[in-house]
């Protein structure tokens, strides 16, 4: 319902390879860390966005989307649902092409706002699960 197969394919294979992962830190036990590894394996540049602005997987981190000094194609959101809407709004302001809310991250109003702004959006899905299904080269 919040990301049909065509939208998922477009985000993962056509909209660009620079992904800002909001909530990504150097904590290897967090889901964001493993998902970032999968995205990198499939050729994505993964930019960590976390208040600590840590370097993760060799990529310097930023405290917010606004601080990233280059274009971002997709914003992958690993924060709780109560914080996800403002992140989606920041992604729109940043000029991203798509927003991806991870499994369990739900905000229907943010979904509607983001789509109305012209961005692709997926909600309550995981790119690390979806990307291998596309049979893209890794």
């Amino acid at each position: 319902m919040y990301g049909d197969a065509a939208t998922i394919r477009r985000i993962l294979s056509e909209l660009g390879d620079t992904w800002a992962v909001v909530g990504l830190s150097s904590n290897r036990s967090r889901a964001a860390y493993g998902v970032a590894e999968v995205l990198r394996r499939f050729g994505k540049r993964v930019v960590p966005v976390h208040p600590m602005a840590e370097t993760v997987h060799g990529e310097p981190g930023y405290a917010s989307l606004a601080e990233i000094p280059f274009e971002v194609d997709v914003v992958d959101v690993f924060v709780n649902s109560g914080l996800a809407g403002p992140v989606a709004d920041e992604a729109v302001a940043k000029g991203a092409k798509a927003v991806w809310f991870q499994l369990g991250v739900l905000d229907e109003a943010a979904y509607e706002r983001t789509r109305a702004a012209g961005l692709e959006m997926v909600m309550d899905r995981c790119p690390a699960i979806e990307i291998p299904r596309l049979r893209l080269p890794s």
Side-chain angles (χ1 to χ4, degrees):
M1 180 172 169
Y2 296 109
D4 57 65
T7 300
I8 290 169
R9 176 172 284 284
R10 220 172 8 264
I11 292 172
L12 291 171
S13 64
E14 298 173 20
L15 294 186
D17 291 331
T18 301
W19 286 54
V21 180
V22 179
L24 175 58
S25 71
S26 61
N27 184 342
R28 292 173 179 261
S29 67
R30 304 291 300 203
Y33 192 91
V35 169
E37 281 185 317
V38 172
L39 290 169
R40 290 181 68 243
R41 193 172 332 125
F42 282 89
K44 308 301 181 191
R45 177 183 185 189
V46 176
V47 181
V49 179
H50 188 278
M52 306 258 315
E54 300 172 295
T55 295
V56 181
H57 298 299
E59 186 75 40
Y62 298 89
S64 70
L65 290 173
E67 292 180 20
I68 300 173
F70 46 84
E71 290 185 12
V72 169
D73 300 310
V74 181
V75 175
D76 189 6
V77 181
F78 269 98
V79 299
N80 71 52
S81 296
L83 300 173
V87 174
D89 296 336
E90 290 175 35
V92 170
K94 178 71 180 161
K97 298 172 189 165
V99 175
W100 192 299
F101 281 8
Q102 282 294 325
L103 290 170
V105 180
L106 299 164
D107 184 330
E108 291 183 22
Y111 180 88
E112 295 301 326
R113 285 194 313 273
T114 303
R115 295 291 295 137
L119 280 70
E120 298 281 3
M121 183 155 182
V122 172
M123 185 164 65
D124 195 28
R125 291 286 190 62
C126 179
I129 293 170
E130 302 296 336
I131 201 166
R133 293 178 180 169
L134 297 179
R135 298 187 182 5
L136 300 173
S138 60

